[in-house]
Amino acid sequence: MTDERNITCIVCPIGCKILVKTDGAQFEIVGGNKCKRGIEYARSEALDPRRMLTTSILVNDGEWPLVSVKSSKPVPEEKLFSVLKEVGGTAVKAPVKSGQTIIKNAANTGIDIVATKTVLTKEVD
Amino acid sequence: MVKPEVIKVIDYTVDVAVIGGGPAGLAAAVSAHEHGAKSVVVIDRNSWLGGILPQCIHDGFGVEETGTSMTGPEYAEMYIEMAEKQGIDIMKETMVLQFDKKREITAVNKKGLHKIKASAIVLAMGCREKTRWNVMISGDRPSGIYTAGVAQAFINLYNIMPGKNVIILGSGDVGLIMARRLKFEGANVLGVVEILPYASGLPRNVVQCLEDYDIPLFLNHTVTCIDGKERLEQVTIAQVDGEMNIISGTEKKIECDTLLLSLGLIPENELANNIGIEIDNITGGPTVNQYLETTLSGVFACGNCLQVYDTVDVLSADAENAGRSAAKNSAIQKKDKKIIAKIVPGKGIRYVVPQIISEPGKVHLTLRVEKPGESSVLHMVAGDKEILKKRLAWVNPANMIGVDVDIPHEVLTSTQNLEVILVDR
Ligand SMILES: Cc1cc2nc3c(=O)[nH]c(=O)nc-3n(C[C@H](O)[C@H](O)[C@H](O)COP(=O)(O)OP(=O)(O)OC[C@H]3O[C@@H](n4cnc5c(N)ncnc54)[C@H](O)[C@@H]3O)c2cc1C
Ligand code: SF4
């Protein structure tokens, strides 16, 4: 394990810089964490970094032109832009309800894209 | 010729009127209703409820309160549903123009002018963003300069991209989150410029919004000049020294078409100011007692117009206190409340809310320290009597501290100041 890197712990606002040794499969803490919670975080960040994805999707005939969405689970970091690309090519028709699944199995990640806002149909006046 | 129309005046009487329908206003309204106020009205100038939250589409809201990380719109909908369930009256697209000392509110909307007589008023007007003129950046006045929140509304609510090649001034959380948002929407984020030696946003946002996408963070730097005829063409950035003076010779020009300003928030208090409610110079919000009552009897304040909060969870909890107090006040109508003691920020403390203690008992304090530190002790003293002593492993001005303290009766009768100080261990 030759690769040493600093991981900023985000579990609390202190933001310790944790020095770790990792080759992507194995993992060892060198130091820098002020508490134990940092260890678990640094491990998952070194071996399998994932991020919640929040963005928006076009809505047709809605009271708003967009509906905000999130991933149903954190997305592996290297897949973020593939998922974003699929989101960018999608449009839904109003009404959309908060919690409604908009894309199933986005970019073959097994993760869904879910609405986080209710957008009603535009009233025609 | 257009005939001058008679302005229609619509009169109401309510127990509690809440000005502002963001998370603070909604939490206060729900709490006022739960604590016995029969008629509660929330007034907001927007066509929607939730204040600024519908445009904050990222997650991280409500973690302390509910244990799950929600997005802004989800958090807002949780409170909107509660308010609707309780039958709280909502007046949208209605602008409050003023209120008087008898708590009569004047508001206007498409239907006309409204006069709302309230037994208690809760102020929940939120805050607004600092602009270029708060920091005086010299140069031209082209288009392409936005506050970060305005750009956030453009992208997340209205589907409008503010530009292509972007520089962000200020590393507060809104600025950091916008860096990632712009990147997701295909813009080039050329860098975030921060005058302090450290980022002012959360480490979480520095990592997940900048480092993840290799967006440069220029610490100890500021924007010194703006160039552009019609549209922004370039900005000049330069390094600053420990006293924040620009170091000459370090200037660098960066071509860009968009500059976002994330310079911090100012509580919105014109309504309170106009009627003579005392404003704390440091917080920018009204001076309040432990019931979050302002210096005008029967008028309470909460949310970001009271003080700029870090997280919405703590904000909502305090707003519930304001709503509960407003419900009780509207039932009893206490008159002539005497100030019994003032809380004064001492060494190491920037501010404390509430600023006034008007009754003994358990009080929740929120405060900020002046500078980062480790292993400190927070004290509250009245003369030579110690009322509170609390060890803090770690403090930072960016992180609000909340503590409960029991104020004994005898301390208040001696009318001393209660001083809060921070000492190194
Ligand atoms: C651009 C921006 C981005 C933010 N992003 C985050 C974030 O990502 N995470 C986070 O935790 N916090 C964020 N905040 C802080 C955020 O403001 C709070 O979390 C929370 O929304 C504040 O709630 P509030 O109810 O006090 O104010 P607001 O949500 O601002 O609500 C105030 C309401 O009062 C109304 N109002 C004001 N004056 C009047 C009047 N005279 N008449 C009628 N109505 C009036 C306004 O229209 C508005 O709806 C952000 C703030 C801003 C400005
Ligand atoms: S290691 Fe512990 S103290 Fe340090 S940032 Fe992580 S959670 Fe906070």
Side-chain angles (χ1 to χ4, degrees), chain A residues 46-61:
Chain A
L47 304 181
D48 182 23
R50 285 170 185 259
R51 298 286 182 262
M52 276 303 286
L53 176 64
T54 56
T55 181
S56 54
I57 283 183
L58 279 173
V59 179
N60 294 325
D61 308 326

Side-chain angles (χ1 to χ4, degrees), chain B residues 300-344:
Chain B
F300 300 79
C302 62
N304 275 350
C305 76
L306 173 62
Q307 59 172 326
V308 178
Y309 284 82
D310 308 338
T311 66
V312 80
D313 310 55
V314 180
L315 173 146
S316 301
D318 279 0
E320 281 166 26
N321 178 10
R324 180 176 52 227
S325 311
K328 294 200 173 138
N329 186 84
S330 70
I332 309 165
Q333 283 301 346
K334 284 187 207 152
K335 282 204 189 82
D336 181 41
K337 234 180 246 164
K338 268 190 290 188
I339 292 180
I340 305 187
K342 265 193 175 159
I343 299 184
V344 285

Side-chain angles (χ1 to χ4, degrees), chain B residues 67-265:
Chain B
T68 50
S69 175
M70 285 185 257
T71 63
E74 290 172 308
Y75 189 89
E77 274 184 26
M78 177 174 82
Y79 273 98
I80 294 168
E81 271 172 27
M82 273 191 249
E84 281 171 353
K85 230 182 243 160
Q86 297 193 357
I88 287 163
D89 275 328
I90 308 285
M91 293 172 75
K92 289 187 225 174
E93 295 184 73
T94 307
M95 177 85 185
V96 172
L97 303 176
Q98 62 170 49
F99 59 85
D100 66 16
K101 292 199 163 134
K102 290 189 191 132
R103 296 182 298 277
E104 183 175 280
I105 294 171
T106 310
V108 66
N109 64 16
K110 283 179 196 152
K111 289 192 189 129
L113 204 61
H114 300 252
K115 295 273 183 197
I116 303 156
K117 287 193 188 69
S119 305
I121 294 178
V122 180
L123 306 176
M125 288 93 65
C127 54
R128 58 169 174 262
E129 299 177 275
K130 289 190 185 164
T131 67
R132 175 178 177 182
W133 309 111
N134 292 95
V135 293
M136 290 305 192
I137 308 168
S138 62
D140 301 334
R141 300 178 63 178
S143 67
I145 305 168
Y146 310 86
T147 61
V150 165
Q152 189 180 44
F154 274 19
I155 300 178
N156 293 344
L157 297 180
Y158 302 106
N159 197 25
I160 299 167
M161 270 301 272
K164 266 261 126 226
N165 297 303
V166 188
I167 286 280
I168 299 173
L169 177 60
S171 64
D173 287 312
V174 188
L176 299 177
I177 279 162
M178 284 313 293
R180 174 177 63 187
R181 190 73 194 113
L182 283 155
K183 193 87 187 174
F184 279 4
E185 294 299 328
N188 284 321
V189 185
L190 304 167
V192 174
V193 181
E194 169 59 59
I195 197 162
L196 294 173
Y198 49 88
S200 50
L202 290 171
R204 174 193 163 95
N205 288 330
V206 175
V207 173
Q208 300 196 345
C209 300
L210 301 187
E211 291 173 11
D212 276 4
Y213 309 101
D214 297 321
I215 296 171
L217 173 60
F218 300 102
L219 296 174
N220 298 306
H221 273 76
T222 189
V223 170
T224 56
C225 192
I226 290 170
D227 295 303
K229 281 210 176 66
E230 305 267 301
R231 178 77 192 192
L232 178 63
E233 286 158 25
Q234 66 174 18
V235 299
T236 309
I237 72 168
Q239 208 176 323
V240 297
D241 63 18
E243 265 83 59
M244 295 203 187
N245 298 314
I246 288 150
I247 305 175
S248 68
T250 62
E251 291 88 355
K252 201 158 61 176
K253 292 191 190 308
I254 303 178
E255 275 181 39
C256 57
D257 56 29
T258 306
L259 174 65
L260 297 195
L261 305 174
S262 173
L263 301 168
L265 305 170

Side-chain angles (χ1 to χ4, degrees), chain A residues 9-16 18 32-39:
Chain A
C9 179
I10 62 162
V11 176
C12 89
I14 298 181
C16 296
I18 306 176
N33 54 309
K34 280 202 199 331
C35 82
K36 276 194 272 182
R37 288 184 296 171
I39 300 174

